[in-house]
Amino acid sequence: MSRSQNEEFQQWWNKQRNRDHDGGGGGGDDEAFLTVEIRTPAVDPTDKDRIRTRTLRQLSRLYLLRLKQLASSSVWIASSFLHLLRTANRRIANDNPPSSTSSARLYRLIKAFLVVVVLLLCFELAAYFKGWHFTPPSVASAEAAVEVAYAWWLEIRASYLAPPLQSLTNVCIVLFLIQSVDRLVLVLGCFWIKLRRIKPVAAMEYPAKPVGEGIRLEDYPMVLVQIPMCNEKEVYQQSIGAVCMLDWPKERMLIQILDDSSELDVQVLIKAEVQKWQQRGVRIVYRHRLIRTGYKAGNLKAAMNCEYVKDYEFVAIFDADFQPPAEFLKKTVPHFKGRDDLALVQTRWAFVNKDENLLTRLQNINLSFHFEVEQQVNGVFINFFGFNGTAGVWRIKALEDCGGWLERTTVEDMDIAVRAHLCGWKFIYLNDVKCLCELPESYEAYKKQQYRWHSGPMQLFRLCFMDILRSKVSVGKKANMIFLFFLLRKLILPFYSFTLFCVILPLTMFFPEANLPSWVVCYIPGIMSILNIIPAPRSFPFIVPYLLFENTMSVTKFGAMISGLFKFGSSYEWVVTKKLGRSSEADLIAYAESGSLVESTNIQRSSSDSGLTELSKLGAAKKAGKTKRNRLYRTEIALAFILLAASVRSLLSAQGIHFYFLLFQGLTFVIVGLDLIGEQVS
């Protein structure tokens, strides 16, 4: 039934379609029914003129408004640019020139390099728009003078400039791979320690409860505690309070406050703090040198020459911003029991301000790897590592045996560690004992710290190289100290980092005949960054900034290494790292929130009696502080322009990974050069 209805409908529809085609316009009502007519209403001619006039007026007003906005934007951009130029010029003019000979020479070389790169970029841009990148001209076929010059440049570049650049590139790649293998071996060693749960075990343990009556004093060796400081009024209270609260019999411990401050008001404050603790029964003395030579090494050397030092067996050293836990001596001193060849017990640093800003987060990545991997692996497998200068306990006999503190370098801690190792003494590192301290929060303070940390080892290597060769230690220990401890980790690392990523990589963009593989630029550094960041897993989101910032710091480390290696005068300058007292401020805030009394242990360990008063003073000091401004770092800015110019050249060659790396690395140099990372200083 449904089939017949469908056939009837099909027949009707065919008739209607045939009639429409055959009848043309004679469809009648059906055509009228199937046709829709759309008509435009008639418009009076006068209305047309009025509408046209109104539309033109509206368009004119719109264009005038857009023009006004464009003009105001142009004026704002121009004024902002002029203001930026004036500010930059003023800060560059007021900025201190590079203090060291090496820094000044390096800056001049980078400026010359920048001029060459800009000229090459202009030349390559002209060649690109001429189409010579796609069909390079030859000297025989060239017609115009510029084309002849470009043809000659191509021949000179390929025959004379690219081969030595490729050779230097290959050398740096080999050094890079050797250092990467060393880093990988250290990480594998750390995994092995974690897997086997290897850790130093003391021959005895002290009871965890606080020292009280009924103890045998002869079970507690005589310990000397030293706190060297110099004009550090922000942190002196917390360090003095912390060591005064160490859980150790007072009769068996003496605290030396070794003050090298040149500011009279700071000396008065430190003396008052010492007198406060003396009144509470703590055995603490204040020492101030009249002749301040040798920086920290001279300060410690003068303190060890005191007559009463012969009565003490061990010495614990803390910098002015360190807060050891109360049980510090109970956890470190027992490791000396029954080990007469043990000279040093080093503990780990913990940072109270590691999350303060991006700069402190990146520092935390580096130092976490240093303590978790480098120090721990070297301590377990070879019983030697560099003394960190603080948060460690020395056997006084070992110090005297290796010649005591010397003033010949700015890394007196590494110096005495090397000499003690050459004399046959062994070291232990305790990864589970942590001392609170503070990271530098401004780029200026961090840069000065890194300069000292990388120039000092090269001074020391130059001074003790022959002593290492003449020493009686095994050949393996000599090789480890020369090739791994000094050359690979202190010289080669800053050399290839700066040369490979700040010099060779930009040059290979303008000398395409010299090839720098993408795995050197991206993949291997990425893997190494992942290995570095493993000890601080919370920092994984900062892996890319960490990689870029480490390359940025390579210029500072390279200049410092050259300064120390070639004995430039600035390599012997000691600049105290600027501290802000974050840990004492945090203790005061916690004290205020808890409402504890002044006799609380926490507040005694980190501040003066009037805790709330000090807290209000801190707040007032912040409000009344000077306005902070950024500095301009000329070397970093010059390198930023070099890398950005090279990124433009790589864009012309369509080199993807190289372009992105150069672009982001150049922007990182801009950020650092404008002092936009970390806390700005006044």
Side-chain angles (χ1 to χ4, degrees):
M1 182 147 182
S2 60
R3 182 179 183 125
S4 61
Q5 290 179 355
N6 289 337
E7 291 177 353
E8 292 176 359
F9 175 77
Q10 185 66 36
Q11 292 176 0
W12 175 82
W13 177 254
N14 291 335
K15 291 180 181 180
Q16 294 294 330
R17 185 178 57 182
N18 294 333
R19 186 172 56 186
D20 291 341
H21 284 289
D22 297 337
D29 294 336
D30 292 333
E31 183 180 355
F33 175 77
L34 295 173
T35 304
V36 179
E37 181 180 0
I38 300 176
R39 297 181 179 179
T40 302
V43 181
D44 188 64
T46 57
D47 294 337
K48 289 183 179 180
D49 296 337
R50 185 166 60 254
I51 292 172
R52 187 181 298 109
T53 304
R54 184 171 56 192
T55 304
L56 292 174
R57 190 182 302 114
Q58 291 175 347
L59 289 174
S60 300
R61 290 178 180 175
L62 178 62
Y63 289 139
L64 287 174
L65 180 61
R66 295 288 176 83
L67 185 61
K68 183 178 179 181
Q69 292 176 347
L70 180 62
S72 60
S73 300
S74 302
V75 171
W76 180 82
I77 293 173
S79 61
S80 300
F81 183 70
L82 290 175
H83 177 71
L84 179 63
L85 287 179
R86 293 195 193 98
T87 303
N89 185 45
R90 182 172 63 253
R91 291 182 183 175
I92 290 176
N94 294 333
D95 190 19
N96 295 326
S99 57
S100 66
T101 306
S102 62
S103 298
R105 290 176 178 174
L106 182 61
Y107 176 61
R108 288 196 293 268
L109 289 174
I110 291 175
K111 283 200 302 182
F113 186 28
L114 175 60
V115 173
V116 173
V117 165
V118 171
L119 292 176
L120 289 176
L121 179 61
C122 295
F123 201 26
E124 295 295 337
L125 284 173
Y128 179 82
F129 288 113
K130 290 287 187 178
W132 295 337
H133 278 190
F134 308 103
T135 56
S138 62
V139 178
S141 62
E143 297 179 356
V146 178
E147 190 174 2
V148 173
Y150 188 75
W152 275 108
W153 163 247
L154 293 180
E155 290 190 5
I156 294 173
R157 189 177 73 185
S159 303
Y160 301 103
L161 300 180
L165 179 61
Q166 186 65 60
S167 301
L168 179 61
T169 302
N170 296 336
V171 170
C172 288
I173 290 175
V174 171
L175 296 177
F176 179 37
L177 292 177
I178 294 174
Q179 198 273 334
S180 300
V181 171
D182 174 65
R183 188 61 54 98
L184 180 61
V185 170
L186 288 174
V187 172
L188 293 177
C190 184
F191 279 136
W192 178 256
I193 291 173
K194 298 296 183 184
L195 182 64
R196 301 299 298 269
R197 298 182 180 179
I198 302 173
K199 60 181 297 186
V201 179
M204 60 166 294
E205 291 185 2
Y206 289 108
K209 61 182 180 180
V211 174
E213 297 181 358
I215 64 170
R216 296 178 53 189
L217 291 180
E218 57 269 19
D219 292 338
Y220 293 82
M222 297 288 286
V223 178
L224 183 67
V225 181
Q226 297 177 332
I227 308 179
M229 57 180 64
C230 180
N231 296 327
E232 295 176 281
K233 60 183 177 181
E234 295 85 2
V235 295
Y236 73 93
Q237 286 181 327
Q238 67 191 43
S239 58
I240 294 176
V243 297
C244 287
M245 295 304 298
L246 287 173
D247 188 14
W248 199 257
K250 303 304 178 186
E251 301 87 350
R252 313 291 288 179
M253 180 176 68
L254 175 65
I255 301 171
Q256 287 181 318
I257 306 302
L258 311 177
D259 182 25
D260 260 6
S261 301
S262 58
E263 300 177 7
L264 183 59
D265 56 342
V266 178
Q267 298 177 28
V268 172
L269 289 172
I270 297 175
K271 284 181 182 178
E273 188 71 13
V274 171
Q275 292 174 0
K276 181 189 74 174
W277 288 102
Q278 287 175 343
Q279 294 171 2
R280 295 181 179 180
V282 178
R283 298 182 69 232
I284 180 172
V285 296
Y286 174 85
R287 286 181 52 85
H288 183 270
R289 295 192 297 164
L290 297 178
I291 302 176
R292 299 172 55 251
T293 58
Y295 302 112
K296 182 179 177 181
N299 199 357
L300 294 172
K301 181 179 180 181
M304 295 300 294
N305 288 332
C306 294
E307 181 67 23
Y308 52 79
V309 172
K310 68 178 184 297
D311 299 328
Y312 293 84
E313 188 176 356
F314 304 104
V315 55
I317 303 172
F318 302 99
D319 282 347
D321 60 317
F322 275 72
Q323 294 186 85
E327 65 277 6
F328 178 85
L329 293 178
K330 284 186 173 181
K331 290 184 176 180
T332 54
V333 174
H335 288 274
F336 291 95
K337 184 73 173 180
R339 299 194 58 177
D340 295 335
D341 60 346
L342 182 61
L344 168 67
V345 175
Q346 173 72 60
T347 63
R348 182 171 179 169
W349 300 359
F351 311 107
V352 297
N353 60 338
K354 63 182 179 181
D355 297 324
E356 187 66 27
N357 54 46
L358 179 59
L359 179 61
T360 58
R361 291 177 185 273
L362 300 180
Q363 292 179 66
N364 179 57
I365 296 173
N366 255 343
L367 291 173
S368 295
F369 183 88
H370 171 69
F371 286 106
E372 185 80 19
V373 179
E374 290 181 342
Q375 298 291 77
Q376 187 170 210
V377 170
N378 290 328
V380 168
F381 291 106
I382 60 177
N383 296 119
F384 168 71
F385 46 82
F387 175 45
N388 294 117
T390 178
V393 181
W394 277 90
R395 189 189 297 270
I396 294 180
K397 181 182 177 181
L399 292 178
E400 295 172 348
D401 182 50
C402 64
W405 298 102
L406 299 181
E407 307 169 8
R408 57 181 183 173
T409 70
T410 57
V411 285
E412 74 295 325
D413 45 8
M414 185 182 294
D415 184 6
I416 201 164
V418 169
R419 288 185 282 116
H421 182 60
L422 295 179
C423 291
W425 293 94
K426 295 182 179 180
F427 304 161
I428 280 180
Y429 172 73
L430 302 180
N431 193 54
D432 55 349
V433 181
K434 300 179 181 180
C435 285
L436 291 177
C437 63
E438 182 179 320
L439 291 167
E441 296 182 14
S442 69
Y443 178 68
E444 180 183 15
Y446 179 63
K447 185 175 182 178
K448 291 178 180 178
Q449 179 197 70
Q450 292 300 304
Y451 191 92
R452 176 167 55 87
W453 284 6
H454 286 81
S455 65
M458 288 298 97
Q459 304 170 15
L460 181 60
F461 178 67
R462 184 169 36 80
L463 293 171
C464 70
F465 177 71
M466 296 305 301
D467 295 334
I468 296 174
L469 295 179
R470 289 192 293 259
S471 65
K472 298 180 180 180
V473 298
S474 64
V475 177
K477 290 184 177 181
K478 292 180 181 180
N480 170 74
M481 187 170 290
I482 292 176
F483 294 107
L484 292 180
F485 185 74
F486 278 113
L487 291 181
L488 184 61
R489 298 167 188 167
K490 303 297 188 299
L491 189 148
I492 291 177
L493 178 59
F495 170 76
Y496 89 75
S497 296
F498 173 74
T499 306
L500 196 61
F501 297 108
C502 297
V503 178
I504 292 178
L505 179 58
L507 281 178
T508 54
M509 297 299 102
F510 296 96
F511 299 83
E513 295 83 3
N515 180 40
L516 184 62
S518 58
W519 56 267
V520 177
V521 178
C522 180
Y523 303 122
I524 298 296
I527 295 173
M528 291 300 104
S529 298
I530 293 175
L531 294 181
N532 282 5
I533 216 167
I534 286 176
R538 290 179 55 194
S539 302
F540 263 99
F542 304 95
I543 185 170
V544 174
Y546 170 74
L547 172 61
L548 297 174
F549 182 70
E550 281 302 296
N551 291 334
T552 305
M553 285 302 300
S554 65
V555 59
T556 299
K557 297 175 182 179
F558 177 80
M561 181 267 293
I562 294 297
S563 176
L565 188 62
F566 294 101
K567 200 178 178 180
F568 292 129
S570 63
S571 61
Y572 291 91
E573 295 178 2
W574 179 293
V575 180
V576 177
T577 304
K578 179 69 175 176
K579 304 177 184 69
L580 302 177
R582 294 290 186 186
S583 50
S584 58
E585 179 182 353
D587 287 342
L588 287 170
I589 293 173
Y591 164 76
E593 292 176 350
S594 63
S596 303
L597 297 175
V598 174
E599 295 299 323
S600 169
T601 301
N602 289 337
I603 196 64
Q604 285 183 351
R605 290 181 59 197
S606 60
S607 66
S608 62
D609 290 339
S610 54
L612 291 175
T613 304
E614 292 294 332
L615 178 61
S616 62
K617 288 181 180 179
L618 282 171
K622 283 185 175 182
K623 294 180 180 178
K626 295 181 180 180
T627 303
K628 296 179 179 180
R629 64 179 179 87
N630 304 58
R631 293 188 59 186
L632 285 179
Y633 296 96
R634 299 176 289 184
T635 304
E636 285 81 353
I637 292 293
L639 280 169
F641 284 118
I642 290 173
L643 294 172
L644 292 176
S647 70
V648 175
R649 176 64 180 87
S650 67
L651 183 62
L652 300 180
S653 303
Q655 297 180 350
I657 292 179
H658 296 75
F659 165 73
Y660 289 114
F661 182 86
L662 287 166
L663 176 63
F664 290 116
Q665 189 64 70
L667 293 177
T668 305
F669 267 102
V670 170
I671 292 172
V672 173
L674 295 177
D675 198 13
L676 298 179
I677 183 172
E679 178 83 10
Q680 283 92 45
V681 297
S682 299

